[in-house]
Amino acid sequence: MPSSYPHFIPKELFVSQIQRFIPKSWKQLEKSSSILEPSSPVGDSMIDSLLTSIKTYASEGHLSEAFKTLSLIKLRASSSTSCDAILHSISSLLFSCTSHKSFPQGRQLHAHIIRLGLEQHPILVPKLVTFYSSFNFHVDAHTVIENSNILHPLPWNLLISSYVKNELLDEALYTYKQMVNKGIRPDSFTYPSVLKACGEKLDIGFGREVHKSIDASCQEWNLFVHNSLVSMYGKFGLVDVARQLFEKMPQRDVISWNVMISCYTSKGLWKEAFELFGRLQMEGTEISIITWNTIAGGCLRTVLVPTLEPLS
C-alpha cells in the first residue's frame, strides 16, 4: 500500500460515523408512524404505488419526500414484500443521490442502510461504491468494500476503475492485489483498468504478471482486454510485443487499429504507422477521427520536419 495513502476506517468506527448522519426527522417519522399497526400491512398495489412515488421523487430531485416514502414502505410493507421493496427503493435513491450530486442525502441514506442491516447486501455495496467514488471519497468507497464479505468482482472493478480515472494508479494496483489475495477472481471488466494503470506507471514487471494471470484464467477471449494489452505494451515501448498481440487477435475493432497505430506513432515509427493505416483501408474497417488525425499529423510531420532543418 502506498505510504501516502490514508488508512482505512475500522468497521466499528466507520459504522458509528455513518449512523450519526441519520436525521432526527427520520427517527421521529418512524415513531409517529408506529401508530399504524405493523400487523396490518398495506397491499402490494399500494407498495407498488409508493415505489413509483419514490422513483418520481428521486428523478425530480425531491429526495426529502422520497426518504419519507421509504420510511413508510419499511413500516407498512408485509414481511414477504418488504425486503424487495426496500432494496428497490434504496437502489433508486442511491442512483438519484449520485446523479444529482447530493452527497449529504446519500450519506444519510447510507446511514439508513446500516440501520436496516443492509450494508453488506450484494445489490447495495456496488451502488455505495459508485456513490462515494463519484464524489472522490475513495477511502469511504474502499471501506465499504473492506467491511463487506462480497466475493463478486463488481464492487472492486468499480473502485479500481475510479482510481485509474482519477490517476490514483498506486491505489488501483493495490486494490487489485487485495482483491486477488481475498480469492476474488478478476473478470474482463477488471483487467482493462489494471492494465491501463500498469501502462501509465510503466510498471513492466507487474504488467507482465497481470498478462500471465489473464492467460492462466481460462476466460473466453475478450476484445477489450486484448486491446488493453496491446496499449500497455505500446506504452512500455515494446512495440514488437504489441504487434504480435495485435496480429494474434481473432477479431479487431476500430480501437484495436487506433491503439496499434498509436504505438508506432508514439515511437516515431511513421513508416510502420502508414503501412498499417493502408492495411486498415484495404480491409474496409471504419476509420475513426482519432486515426485520421494521427495519420494527418504524421503526414505533416514527415513532410515539414525536413524543411525546417537548419541550412549547413
Side-chain angles (χ1 to χ4, degrees):
M1 186 65 163
S3 58
S4 60
Y5 193 69
H7 294 295
F8 297 130
I9 305 172
K11 180 177 181 178
E12 294 77 10
L13 179 58
F14 182 68
V15 171
S16 64
Q17 287 180 337
I18 296 295
Q19 286 178 327
R20 291 190 295 106
F21 284 86
I22 300 178
K24 292 182 179 179
S25 59
W26 288 19
K27 299 176 182 178
Q28 293 172 353
L29 176 65
E30 291 185 1
K31 290 179 180 179
S32 63
S33 301
S34 61
I35 58 175
L36 302 173
E37 291 295 332
S39 58
S40 303
V42 298
D44 290 344
S45 60
M46 179 60 73
I47 293 297
D48 291 339
S49 177
L50 292 173
L51 287 171
T52 300
S53 296
I54 286 181
K55 292 180 180 179
T56 301
Y57 285 139
S59 64
E60 295 176 352
H62 303 309
L63 298 179
S64 177
E65 289 81 357
F67 288 150
K68 292 177 182 179
T69 307
L70 172 63
S71 295
L72 183 58
I73 289 177
K74 175 179 175 291
L75 288 166
R76 302 300 294 158
S78 65
S79 59
S80 61
T81 61
S82 60
C83 184
D84 287 342
I86 291 172
L87 282 174
H88 284 299
S89 302
I90 292 176
S91 177
S92 177
L93 280 171
L94 274 175
F95 177 80
S96 180
C97 290
T98 302
S99 60
H100 285 91
K101 300 298 181 182
S102 302
F103 183 77
Q105 290 87 345
R107 192 79 157 178
Q108 292 170 1
L109 185 58
H110 188 186
H112 201 55
I113 290 170
I114 293 173
R115 188 179 179 88
L116 295 173
L118 298 173
E119 68 271 21
Q120 293 192 23
H121 197 283
I123 291 178
L124 299 181
V125 169
K127 295 187 181 302
L128 285 168
V129 171
T130 297
F131 167 73
Y132 282 115
S133 297
S134 69
F135 291 94
N136 293 331
F137 278 72
H138 291 105
V139 172
D140 292 292
H142 208 134
T143 303
V144 168
I145 297 179
E146 287 275 283
N147 292 342
S148 74
N149 54 8
I150 296 176
L151 299 180
H152 194 279
L154 175 58
W156 297 86
N157 293 345
L158 293 169
L159 182 57
I160 292 171
S161 176
S162 183
Y163 277 141
V164 174
K165 180 180 178 181
N166 288 275
E167 299 182 355
L168 300 170
L169 306 178
D170 288 329
E171 289 80 358
L173 296 184
Y174 170 81
T175 304
Y176 169 77
K177 295 173 185 177
Q178 186 182 30
M179 168 185 174
V180 173
N181 289 338
K182 285 180 173 289
I184 301 171
R185 295 183 60 181
D187 60 16
S188 58
F189 295 98
T190 312
Y191 289 121
S193 294
V194 175
L195 293 170
K196 183 176 181 180
C198 291
E200 295 292 339
K201 278 180 56 64
L202 299 179
D203 192 337
I204 298 177
F206 192 64
R208 289 188 181 276
E209 286 185 26
V210 176
H211 187 179
K212 291 179 181 178
S213 298
I214 294 171
D215 290 340
S217 66
C218 298
Q219 294 185 13
E220 292 185 5
W221 185 89
N222 184 275
L223 177 62
F224 301 108
V225 173
H226 218 93
N227 284 342
S228 299
L229 280 169
V230 174
S231 177
M232 180 187 74
Y233 282 108
K235 290 178 181 177
F236 291 160
L238 302 175
V239 181
D240 290 341
V241 177
R243 182 59 182 267
Q244 290 174 5
L245 289 168
F246 176 82
E247 294 296 343
K248 290 180 180 178
M249 298 175 74
Q251 67 182 81
R252 305 181 187 90
D253 62 2
V254 63
I255 295 176
S256 310
W257 292 91
N258 290 344
V259 167
M260 193 63 240
I261 290 173
S262 295
C263 288
Y264 283 130
T265 59
S266 66
K267 300 292 290 183
L269 300 172
W270 294 104
K271 178 183 177 182
E272 291 81 355
F274 293 150
E275 289 177 348
L276 195 61
F277 180 70
R279 180 176 156 193
L280 168 60
Q281 289 180 302
M282 291 179 61
E283 292 195 5
T285 304
E286 177 186 1
I287 302 176
S288 72
I289 188 65
I290 297 175
T291 304
W292 275 117
N293 289 341
T294 301
I295 293 299
C299 291
L300 290 173
R301 183 181 181 86
T302 55
V303 170
L304 294 178
V305 168
T307 67
L308 297 175
E309 293 181 356
L311 297 175
S312 56

